[in-house]
Amino acid sequence: CVDEQGNVQAIVFAGMLQYSGLNFAIPVEYLKAELPVLVDGGKYEHSWIEANGRTRKIAGNDLGVELNYVMPGGCASRAGLKAGDLITKIEDTTIKNLEDLQKKMMGITAGYIINISYDREDENGETKSDTVKVYVSSRPLNPGYVFYKNDVLSSSFTAIFGMKLTPLSEGRRKYQIKSVIKGSIADESGFSDNDPVDIRNISFNSENTALYAEVYAKNRKKGYLDISMGIAAPLDSPNYF
């Protein structure tokens, strides 16, 4: 794909046979980072800090990327970052939204240490800013699967489905939803804060790219009627970084 000045803007890599002219392309910014490595016979490894988050907006303005989940023992966790922290800068680049963060991370090689600036609200509601050094590791193909395998279900479901769970009993998958992240799969599926849920079964597809959960719940939005439903989530998305 070239613009009016003859500059390459993207390379088409896939199309849909049933829709003539509808194709998918890789932006030139990604090509500049990846092609030199591939031409030299190497493998381009994307970096990540082993966390999950979303753009925080107020009155339509992007303020940064809020951490919804930080994997225990992961890069972000070891650096002291916590869920609720708002990432505002990586190195000397201001981070306003998830797109800014992903674009910056694309240019950072795994195995390096980077500076991440963030805002954190204390118990008194006061916001304090700080900067930490974070080691970045190599991003796996399915980050959500890594979260599920390295954390308890009640915590990993925060990243995978967007529902923060509080266990109600030991040894049994009975929980209460502490909170639901707006715009998440849990939110779109109609779950609400304080809904009791029973996770009956969890399975993965053959390539571990998606998780399927059978959930029994008393849903507030449905008048606390007993419902049984299946919800599925991809184990990779821009929200994993």
Side-chain angles (χ1 to χ4, degrees):
C1 298
V2 297
D3 60 20
E4 295 175 348
Q5 286 73 43
N7 299 312
V8 175
Q9 294 299 323
I11 290 182
V12 175
F13 73 95
M16 301 180 70
L17 295 178
Q18 63 269 40
Y19 298 104
S20 177
L22 179 59
N23 300 283
F24 298 93
I26 300 175
V28 69
E29 290 80 10
Y30 292 173
L31 296 173
K32 288 180 179 179
E34 298 185 9
L35 282 181
V37 178
L38 299 179
V39 169
D40 289 338
K43 174 183 177 182
Y44 189 87
E45 294 187 349
H46 296 265
S47 59
W48 76 323
I49 62 172
E50 299 169 313
N52 175 284
R54 292 176 180 270
T55 302
R56 183 190 290 179
K57 293 177 177 286
I58 293 182
N61 297 316
D62 297 343
L63 302 181
V65 175
E66 181 178 356
L67 296 178
N68 294 326
Y69 171 86
V70 175
M71 188 177 77
C75 299
S77 175
R78 293 196 300 270
L81 293 172
K82 301 177 181 179
D85 289 346
L86 183 70
I87 294 178
T88 57
K89 184 179 289 187
I90 297 179
E91 293 296 329
D92 57 351
T93 301
T94 299
I95 303 300
K96 289 289 187 180
N97 48 48
L98 193 58
E99 290 74 21
D100 289 345
L101 185 146
Q102 288 289 359
K103 184 177 179 180
K104 182 64 177 179
M105 293 298 292
M106 283 291 295
I108 296 174
T109 305
Y112 279 75
I113 295 176
I114 61 176
N115 293 309
I116 294 182
S117 299
Y118 67 95
D119 292 342
R120 177 180 295 172
E121 190 174 294
D122 61 20
E123 296 178 354
N124 299 320
E126 296 182 359
T127 299
K128 296 183 178 180
S129 301
D130 199 359
T131 299
V132 293
K133 294 186 180 298
V134 183
Y135 173 84
V136 293
S137 60
S138 179
R139 192 180 193 275
L141 292 176
N142 304 307
Y145 185 75
V146 175
F147 289 166
Y148 179 83
K149 287 297 184 181
N150 287 277
D151 203 351
V152 295
L153 182 149
S154 57
S155 294
S156 63
F157 266 39
T158 303
I160 296 171
F161 288 110
M163 58 169 75
K164 300 179 181 181
L165 302 175
T166 300
L168 295 179
S169 62
E170 294 185 8
R172 302 179 67 183
R173 291 176 173 175
K174 292 184 178 294
Y175 306 90
Q176 185 175 44
I177 297 179
K178 183 178 180 181
S179 63
V180 174
I181 298 172
K182 187 177 180 180
S184 65
I185 293 174
D187 183 31
E188 294 174 351
S189 299
F191 290 99
S192 306
D193 297 356
N194 302 317
D195 283 356
V197 295
D198 187 353
I199 311 297
R200 297 290 179 85
N201 185 46
I202 292 176
S203 59
F204 299 87
N205 65 351
S206 59
E207 298 179 344
N208 293 327
T209 60
L211 181 152
Y212 177 81
E214 295 177 9
V215 181
Y216 174 82
K218 290 182 180 291
N219 195 303
R220 178 172 62 84
K221 291 182 179 179
K222 293 180 173 59
Y224 285 109
L225 294 175
D226 293 349
I227 62 170
S228 181
M229 63 185 298
I231 54 175
L235 296 176
D236 188 15
S237 78
N239 298 99
Y240 296 100
F241 51 81

